[in-house]
Amino acid sequence: MLDERNIDLIALGREVFVNGSWSQEGATGSLLVDNPATGEVISETPDGGAGMAEAALAAARAAAPGWAMTPAIERGRAVQALAKAVRDNAETYARIITAEQGKPIGQARGEVAACAEFLSHAASGARRISGDIVASDNRNEEIHIRRHPYGVVVALTAWNYPAALAGRKAGPALVAGNTLVLMSHELTPLSGLFLARLAEQVGLPAGVFNVVTGRGPTLGAALVSSPETDLVTMTGSLRAGRDIYAAGAADLKVLRLELGGKAPFIVMEDADIDAAVDAAVAARFTNCGQICTCNERMYLHRAIADSFLERFVAKTRALTMGDPMQNPDLGPKISAVEVDKVAAMVAAGRAAGDEVLLAGGPRHDGAFAQGHWYAPTVLESRDAQSPLLRDEIFGPVISALRVDGFDEAVALANASRFGLSAYLFTEDRHRLMRAPAALKFGELYLNRSNGEQVQGFHTGWRHSGLGGEDGAYGFDGYFRKQTAYSTWA
């Protein structure tokens, strides 16, 4: 067990993990890692280029045959050991996440628990890898359909949940028999490197699990476009997803992309308003609003809109913001660029006629003089085409629109290029039964806040992505299928 509570972040970021060893091979420079709460540089990591990509992919390719031939139960035990190591080092891991990502320490602890749970659940699937025997049209013949690993998987993680997303992708990929190259996002690379330390500690074979660091346009592009890569799984922005889609086209790469979201939060006149307000606040402001499944736009039945907004604004105003290690409700945004982006979106919404109900905005005063701070902001839109109802905000800002009924709310919810998550609060059984067919989203939260479970299936529709993660359906995506006609005549 790594027993240091305050790990040396400079040492952690110094090298990448390739083929079971730590080195700076293929680095073209270094990338600074800052603490979003203070702006202080806390580490620097290798800025990898094509050479680093080639070395990592070569290691993964060399290890692939042996790992695929390892009995699935042994692969599962190895991943279960990694899950245990994550749990054993949970406090250290949480402090690393808070230091580089900025989320409150309580939320970081929850993320570490999620990482371990993703790994552990994937490991439990080792004995459930199966195929089919299908009846043949011919005598003395059977048709066998088998699952095989793809080979080399490249996993690209987003900065909002760097540890949980690594566990979500690594667990099923490795248990399925693939080898993995993980590129931890340039803003939060230490989380991936710490997972590599744990993989080394539990003895994963060399080349099976590799972690590299660098920028998307250089290292990421090299990993995606390489002919050595068989499958790419990425969580990130729509822009990045399109770039990966284009880069993987030449080799017809298999892609699993979770991209942006613009989740509607619908509250009907018969809803439990207190429960809806609690859920709406949690779904908007957890992790400073930096979650793809966040409540991004609220459609409120006119009959309850005043009551809902009064309670929502009051509860939002009561949220605390400050030093993430003191476990407030909100920490900082990830970067100054993100603060400026959110501020520009609010300005565009106000220019479109949105009314400010709670003015938060950028903070640069007192305890917030350093770092990247944005206070919770609530608006009400008069026009369904407001930028705040149309474009992904990914920050602690929300706007609401009044609607006259369920059908109008559904139509407005569906009128989006995104289709990841949607929320509905109503006590009407008929609306609840209609919702799965009516709402064109991959994931629905009915009378509850967000937070998917490992046995579910997390998937986006439309511009929110391809494929999906979690549960049996997500696990199946890490296998290719083979049909064998077996004749014994």
Side-chain angles (χ1 to χ4, degrees):
M1 176 177 175
L2 298 170
D3 59 4
E4 59 266 47
R5 291 283 293 258
N6 296 306
I7 192 168
D8 184 341
L9 299 180
I10 296 293
L12 177 60
R14 192 168 289 135
E15 297 175 316
V16 297
F17 188 65
V18 173
N19 203 28
S21 300
W22 295 91
S23 75
Q24 295 186 348
E25 181 183 354
T28 59
S30 61
L31 294 171
L32 300 180
V33 183
D34 79 359
N35 182 329
T38 65
E40 172 193 7
V41 173
I42 56 173
S43 189
E44 56 183 293
T45 59
D47 185 4
M52 183 179 290
E54 290 171 6
L57 291 170
R61 177 61 64 196
W67 186 243
M69 291 300 293
T70 300
I73 191 63
E74 293 183 21
R75 301 195 300 260
R77 287 173 183 146
V79 172
Q80 197 69 266
L82 182 57
K84 182 178 185 301
V86 169
R87 293 188 178 101
D88 288 345
N89 293 275
E91 186 61 21
T92 299
Y93 209 167
R95 288 167 179 257
I96 291 169
I97 294 168
T98 293
E100 69 172 349
Q101 200 275 338
K103 60 167 54 80
I105 187 65
Q107 295 178 33
R109 290 170 181 142
E111 179 177 350
V112 173
C115 175
E117 196 64 23
F118 280 128
L119 292 167
S120 185
H121 182 74
S124 73
R127 280 200 171 105
R128 292 194 291 272
I129 299 172
S130 62
D132 289 292
I133 299 176
V134 180
S136 173
D137 294 345
N138 303 322
R139 291 179 181 273
N140 302 321
E141 182 177 79
E142 290 181 336
I143 303 171
H144 296 183
I145 300 176
R146 305 172 185 270
R147 285 174 168 80
H148 292 268
Y150 276 95
V152 175
V153 172
V154 164
L156 310 173
T157 59
W159 48 258
N160 60 334
Y161 280 89
L165 291 172
R168 166 179 266 172
K169 297 174 186 302
L174 295 176
V175 175
N178 302 285
T179 54
L180 189 75
V181 177
L182 170 67
M183 177 180 159
S184 217
H185 193 280
E186 64 191 85
L187 294 178
T188 54
L190 303 179
S191 296
L193 293 172
F194 188 69
L195 190 60
R197 278 201 182 188
L198 300 181
E200 179 185 36
Q201 175 186 307
V202 302
L204 279 178
V208 167
F209 183 66
N210 309 275
V211 178
V212 293
T213 60
R215 292 169 292 171
T218 49
L219 179 62
L223 289 170
V224 171
S225 62
S226 171
E228 293 296 331
T229 300
D230 297 305
L231 183 153
V232 177
T233 173
M234 186 277 278
T235 300
S237 68
L238 175 58
R239 177 201 55 76
R242 284 171 166 158
D243 289 345
I244 289 170
Y245 202 96
D251 283 327
L252 299 178
K253 290 284 190 301
V254 178
L255 304 178
R256 305 177 67 76
L257 307 176
E258 183 200 328
L259 310 178
K262 189 66 181 174
F265 196 104
I266 300 170
V267 184
M268 290 288 97
E269 79 286 357
D270 61 343
D272 180 332
I273 301 302
D274 287 332
V277 168
D278 288 346
V281 171
R284 174 66 272 178
F285 298 111
T286 298
N287 198 25
C288 203
Q290 300 169 136
I291 308 177
C292 294
T293 60
C294 261
N295 163 22
E296 279 265 341
R297 50 191 169 125
M298 298 191 295
Y299 297 113
L300 311 176
H301 194 286
R302 200 172 299 278
I304 52 85
D306 285 338
S307 175
F308 180 95
L309 287 171
E310 180 182 357
R311 296 184 221 184
F312 182 87
V313 169
K315 194 170 184 69
T316 301
R317 184 180 284 113
L319 295 173
T320 58
M321 185 173 76
D323 179 1
M325 288 306 300
Q326 298 302 313
N327 202 32
D329 295 309
L330 283 86
K333 284 283 291 168
I334 186 67
S335 68
V337 171
E338 279 290 309
V339 169
D340 291 344
K341 182 201 80 173
V342 173
M345 293 187 70
V346 171
R350 295 189 66 180
D354 292 3
E355 177 188 356
V356 177
L357 305 182
L358 177 63
R363 294 290 302 272
H364 305 293
D365 57 310
F368 308 109
Q370 306 298 322
H372 318 306
W373 299 94
Y374 201 103
T377 303
V378 181
L379 304 95
E380 183 174 356
S381 296
R382 308 300 182 190
D383 184 346
Q385 296 307 311
S386 166
L388 293 178
L389 297 175
R390 184 186 65 231
D391 301 322
E392 185 177 31
I393 302 168
F394 220 62
V397 173
I398 187 69
S399 193
L401 183 74
R402 299 171 190 242
V403 297
D404 291 314
F406 181 71
D407 290 337
E408 180 187 5
V410 167
L412 290 170
N414 288 337
S416 172
R417 59 182 174 165
F418 295 110
L420 183 57
S421 301
Y423 302 78
L424 171 64
F425 272 76
T426 181
E427 295 300 310
D428 187 311
R429 176 172 169 271
H430 296 285
R431 288 171 177 162
L432 289 171
M433 294 297 289
R434 285 177 57 198
L439 289 166
K440 308 303 181 184
F441 296 82
E443 190 168 81
L444 304 182
Y445 297 110
L446 306 178
N447 288 327
R448 59 159 286 187
S449 191
N450 61 342
E452 58 270 18
Q453 297 179 10
V454 295
Q455 69 272 32
F457 183 50
H458 182 64
T459 183
W461 293 8
R462 301 191 297 281
H463 284 186
S464 287
L466 308 166
E469 303 280 1
D470 305 343
Y473 294 105
F475 188 34
D476 193 51
Y478 287 95
F479 295 95
R480 65 173 92 230
K481 314 304 185 294
Q482 180 190 66
T483 300
Y485 294 88
S486 179
T487 301
W488 58 85

